[in-house]
């Protein structure tokens, strides 16, 4: 049952609320013998950390991870390795600014999970969104860093933001290095500059905006995935839709596949220069019949605008009185930006699980 | 582990290959006491049955379902009800036309799972696509009919085709009754006529075309779903991407959410005429934070064009020799058409599972 | 969720009632490329088939298995192999003797699941016990035969009956060949003769009797199992207690472990003649910390007497009227006898699952 | 997949090693609205805490639990309640006595999981047994306390020690109050005194001894459990065998069921004084066909002697050199004693899971 756990063989469980004392995750099923220290994880957390530019939330959380179990000294390497036991990781909260939450305690913010949590549970930790806060994704990023260790250096998982609002990048200018050189994980330096202007205006207006994330996984061997209900792309879809504010998932041609003709959509095969199968195109995004082809996995996730905006909106109180709400505070005006490392982490976690699942079948 | 099983509390396992003696499914976790006979299931199978118009495959399969277990006479109603035991359903194959499969035995059809199955398993039932054939979806439709019985008459799950190739319907002409009155499950009678012309040309050209399916679930109460990794929309995404040839999933505003501003995306709330919360819009497609709002669930699935086309394409043989392939036979030129009842079934199956999951929490 | 499914990576789902048209199972997760035909499965079903001696039920069921999916011709061997797709197996019922079931329809048989099924489901297929009938175990035996193919010839799983009623075997006379030479799977030919006399008396008295099954698995490598909640012995305990009428599970010293001192219970280690670790004893039954040691797995399961007896017992009707019941019909007077191949099958199924789970960890 | 997670709907995941900085668990699936503070949990931890008498390990661990997530203020009650979010609980380690572990780092202790962990993982946290230490059971006890809250006051789960070594209690003197009045959770005050003498001698000899735990769950309604592979007793067997050093599980008549006749084993039914079904005996231990009868669940678990003893035993080093080992340190001479609250906790956890599973079926 997937409440707060994701994955089958390589699996993780997250816990913690936005304004609780700490949050964390337990990674279970990680094979023994992988070199792993906090220094392997922290850089990924640093990438999604709040407060790094004026375009994201100004909350100040160091998001320092601590490994509490599952690793031990390795006498062979003199380093620290996984032991096969569950890896518990914890991030303590620091910036729990004392605040008056009486507004959102009693009023449902439109677009937020306030109403649905109340409908389901009858009680809700309203401070900063509680369990439904995007802060939970810090735990995913920590787990994703462990997944990357399992996947090894031959599999590269890279994410980028390809659209903010109505402005998309120019794909001809795609440069993976650019992703690290601007505040938006944008692979197109020119568009990044325009986005900075767009974002300033949006922030000033007290509004927010949606975005489109693209994740590319390279080096995945052919044969990962499973038929029918364990399809690699179905698991990716589930992983990506589990990210806060995600509203759509595409792989390969994605939505545009509906518009294609058969002769255009099928990726023709030739013999590659390395004597292995090569494909003339990648409309299928690296997956056929739920199983990887060896091509790049190319996926996109649409993230809706942050629902916490200063612009006043109509809503209800818990007592069903009509009112309006305007959310102050330190919110990401485009939650899609910091969603990039989260989407990367989810892709890594799905692949780590399927790496183990594929290995299991070698036992035959 | 989800290989050939879907769902947690209400779950089903499918089995069978396209040209095997039979295919079927086992539905497990269905509560006892639901009236259920083959007559409840057959109409749904009839809707996806091949050979019903010139626009779909001409294979002639009656797809007659037989319930082998899990039901028993009910002395109270004099009818037949579920007993809580697993419901095994079987559909025997009839039209296994004797055929020479030597082509596709040795040659990988581009866009098909031929190559990936060989890469994963090293052996493949090549007759009609074997396990990766869309014929497997008959079993889902049978399971989905049981799910509908559990959901009851207050929850309506309806699907429609809203785009074939580059031609989309005109949403202002949407008429659910029209869906039953044309060969395309099209809610716009005018567009259906144009599609008929389009399809004739595509079929004549030996080509195929993609499509976009929309599924709407009405009557789902607020509070179904689960947080974080068991989100209702994440489960729907997984369900829809498990359908053959699916390449994208959207809920609510979907991909377009990336382009929106916060004040437009958040669905404002008012008090409805029935004294219950009402929403001014449905950009979130009936789900907030992974939990249903009580609004309609509105989802779309993009289906790529059938990969089996008469137009010659470049490919490889299993021995890695370069060759071309042109697929003859009785294939759907637009597999998205018969995908409509399948997508409906998957939606019903996800909802049935979440109905039970929601009931479990009442135990507290 | 384990309702009617067992296992994680190698998993099977059974379906069918005692007097339904058929019963069967779906084996999912079996690796591709294993030679498998019905002839590999039938011998195991023949061992548990009813009607083979006067000491078991006289119902006449050929229990002929049919494989409906998951296998295909293998051009390399000219034989038939598994394809990695789910293996559906079906056994049609033949001897559904027309009978008046009005007795057990309305009356709960003590010791049977009649009352608890009514309490849980409110409806019950009373014919021959329905879903709770030991007939379901035929499907387990079929699945177990597939598991044995995966385990390969180096792992031997053998069962024997070591006690009927108060008469236990003499372990000094243990002879595995004897198991195949009497009607009781008894490894002690002398005791088997005494059991035959005991059983004649019991049958004549219209009574029944309990039994103790021992299963030994040899050739299991060290390192299978999982820590804490996936322990190999915990999974075996669950598997064995899932067998109808099972009331206890032991591994190694079992219950007697409570009486031991530490210096006696710990199995000392020495270097074996093959240069590998060897153990001076096997009080732990081949498992330490949930993980296999490489020694024989030695397990016992206690099976209670058949609850269907001719001797009159006090009970209630469904309407809570006090009455008595005496069960006529063709029942096993000692259900433990035919439980031996079932317990073997369950052991094989657990091991097959753990073989795949162990292989998954090699991916690290 | 059950590596370090137990349960389906009500589930928990434990983490932590004996000598790591902390250990803990995440309870997932707990319904919202249950009153829960650390004060509800601590008393159960105190019962299994080390150092409470001379008969258990002298390690000094306060085992103070801290709830990190999943609870929130409840405005209706002014108390703190569960929110439906995962409940993370942590126990920090205090008494990590600096010690030279070079002995057990290189030498496998007979009866311990040292060898099997090395065989499986190739690396092992040898300090105090690492992950295989009984210290992990503190996390189960914490989770079990939450399970009890879900079960409510009408279900009582009580454990007792009924045998140490060869000395069993006199059941005619059974007194539940006595359980709280001696160092052994012994329901027979006279036997407790003899055990104290036995234990002194055993401890003095540097030996250890096995024990038999009995757990009784009262107030479980009829109808909990599931057929075939989710049987309530099979889940209990799995739960109990997951406890460190457990070698056998019995329910009702248990092993003795093998010796019974049908007329003795079947529990006859009569109408009880409350107008509900009553049973004349309880040979089935409260479960028929995997489903609860409403009677007491009566179960026993055999615990082998602690493998850490001062008496010298033969063994191997990791380099396969023959040697001997004698384990010093602060070990429980009878690990079964502190196993009593652990076995209670596991019973509560299984029942909590089945309570939710039973509730799910009411949705039909």
């Amino acid at each position: 049952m997937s409440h707060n756990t994701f994955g089958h063989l390589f699996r993780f469980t997250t816990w913690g609320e936005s304004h609780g004392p700490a949050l964390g995750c337990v990674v279970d099923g990680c094979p023994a013998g992988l070199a792993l220290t906090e220094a392997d994880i922290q850089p990924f957390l640093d990438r999604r950390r709040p407060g790094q530019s004026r375009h994201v939330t100004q909350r100040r959380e160091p998001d320092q991870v601590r490994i509490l179990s599952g690793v031990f000294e390795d006498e062979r390497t003199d380093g620290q390795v996984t032991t096969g036991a569950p890896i518990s990781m914890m991030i303590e909260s620091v910036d729990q600014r004392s605040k008056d939450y009486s507004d959102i305690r009693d009023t449902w913010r439109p677009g937020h999970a306030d109403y649905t949590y109340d409908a389901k549970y009858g009680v809700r930790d309203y401070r900063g969104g509680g369990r439904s806060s995007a802060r939970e994704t810090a735990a995913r990023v920590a787990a994703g860093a462990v997944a990357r260790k399992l996947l090894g250096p031959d599999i590269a998982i890279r994410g980028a933001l390809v659209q903010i609002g109505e402005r998309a990048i120019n794909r001809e200018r795609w440069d993976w290095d650019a992703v690290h050189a601007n505040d938006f994980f944008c692979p197109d330096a020119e568009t990044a500059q325009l986005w900075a202007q767009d974002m300033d205006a949006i922030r000033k207006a007290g509004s927010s905006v949606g975005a489109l994330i693209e994740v590319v996984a390279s080096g995945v061997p052919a044969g990962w995935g499973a038929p029918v209900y364990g399809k690699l792309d179905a698991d990716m879809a589930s992983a990506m839709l589990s990210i806060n504010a995600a509203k759509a998932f595409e792989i390969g041609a994605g939505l545009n596949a509906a518009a294609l003709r058969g002769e255009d959509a099928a990726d023709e095969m030739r013999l590659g220069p390395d004597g292995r199968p090569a494909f003339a195109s990648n409309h299928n995004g690296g997956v056929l019949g739920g199983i990887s082809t060896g091509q790049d996995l190319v996926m996109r996730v649409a993230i809706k605008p942050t629902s916490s905006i200063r612009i006043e909106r109509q809503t209800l109180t818990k007592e069903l009185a009509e009112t309006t709400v305007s959310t102050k505070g330190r919110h990401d005006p485009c939650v899609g930006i910091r969603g990039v490392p989260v989407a990367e982490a989810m892709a890594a976690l799905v692949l780590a699980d399927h790496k183990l699942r594929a290995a299991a079948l070698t036992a035959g």
Side-chain angles (χ1 to χ4, degrees), chain A:
Chain A
M1 288 291 298
S2 45
H3 294 116
N4 294 284
T5 296
F6 191 87
H8 295 277
L9 285 176
F10 188 94
R11 64 192 302 164
F12 68 104
T13 302
T14 69
W15 56 269
E17 287 84 34
S18 174
H19 285 52
L23 62 83
C25 66
V26 183
V27 174
D28 195 9
C30 185
L34 299 175
L36 183 74
T37 69
E38 284 143 4
D40 292 307
I41 299 161
Q42 195 60 46
F44 294 97
L45 284 165
D46 290 346
R47 288 183 71 212
R48 87 163 271 298
R49 200 175 55 200
Q52 301 197 99
S53 83
R54 69 182 187 276
H55 305 298
V56 298
T57 172
Q58 296 305 301
R59 188 171 172 178
R60 299 282 167 187
E61 283 290 359
D63 280 352
Q64 205 71 35
V65 71
R66 197 173 155 215
I67 303 179
L68 296 173
S69 67
V71 293
F72 196 60
E73 64 197 55
D74 180 26
E75 52 198 54
R76 289 164 303 193
T77 65
D78 225 30
Q80 181 175 273
V81 294
T82 57
T83 61
I87 302 165
S88 176
M89 295 183 282
M90 185 168 72
I91 296 165
E92 290 186 74
S93 295
V94 171
D95 185 11
Q96 295 164 275
R97 192 173 293 194
S98 174
K99 190 184 152 182
D100 178 8
Y101 285 105
S102 50
D103 280 17
I104 59 174
R105 185 185 65 192
D106 298 323
T107 302
W108 295 320
R109 294 165 297 166
H112 267 291
D114 299 344
Y115 167 61
T116 53
Y117 268 60
D118 268 344
K120 186 172 191 72
Y121 299 115
V123 60
R124 171 170 55 92
D125 181 347
Y126 44 77
R127 301 167 305 161
R131 182 64 183 155
S132 69
S133 163
R135 187 147 172 68
E136 182 268 348
T137 60
R140 305 181 188 219
V141 170
V146 181
R148 285 180 193 260
K149 296 294 282 192
L150 173 58
L151 294 172
D154 292 343
I155 294 182
I157 298 162
R158 295 181 292 185
L161 210 62
V162 298
Q163 183 183 333
I164 288 185
E166 295 184 342
R167 195 187 304 275
I169 62 159
N170 180 339
R171 289 185 166 266
E172 297 189 358
R173 291 195 295 254
W174 191 294
D175 172 13
W176 279 112
D177 289 334
V179 166
H180 305 287
N182 58 64
D183 294 336
F184 305 98
F185 303 105
C186 181
D188 166 7
E190 286 186 39
T191 299
Q193 291 187 323
L194 300 174
W195 284 353
Q197 296 167 22
D198 294 347
M199 290 299 299
D200 286 339
I202 287 162
R203 214 170 46 247
K204 208 165 175 180
S207 181
S208 64
V209 69
L212 191 63
I213 298 169
E214 183 161 321
V215 176
V216 179
S218 307
V220 177
W224 287 12
V228 189
Y229 305 110
K231 287 193 165 99
L232 186 56
D233 38 357
D235 281 4
M236 284 290 182
S238 168
M240 296 306 174
L241 261 292
S242 79
I243 298 174
N244 310 48
K247 301 309 290 182
F249 169 82
E250 295 190 304
I251 186 161
L255 260 194
N256 193 42
L260 293 176
R261 288 294 186 89
E263 59 273 26
D264 298 320
D267 303 310
E268 292 184 297
M269 301 182 77
R270 293 280 90 178
L271 204 58
D274 58 353
R276 298 166 61 197
F279 294 83
S281 55
N282 193 6
H283 291 96
N284 285 291
V287 176
L288 284 172
I291 299 168
S292 58
T293 62
Q295 295 171 275
D296 280 0
L297 265 70
V298 183
M299 301 167 288
R300 280 172 300 283
V301 198
I303 303 291
K304 72 174 182 181
T306 316
S307 300
S308 299
I309 52 175
R310 287 209 319 278
I311 298 172
E312 198 172 79
R313 310 309 294 155
Q314 295 192 322
T315 193
L316 296 174
T317 68
K318 276 170 66 177
E319 279 68 40
L320 298 187
E322 299 194 334
T323 185
T324 59
V325 69
S326 152
T327 317
K328 283 105 196 165
R330 302 163 295 165
H331 299 284
D332 283 288
C334 175
V335 75
I337 299 172
R338 296 203 296 132
V340 173
V342 178
E344 284 181 3
M346 293 308 296
L349 289 156
V350 170
L351 289 172
D353 193 29
H354 276 281
K355 179 175 183 176
L356 298 188
R357 292 170 72 170
L361 292 183
T362 63

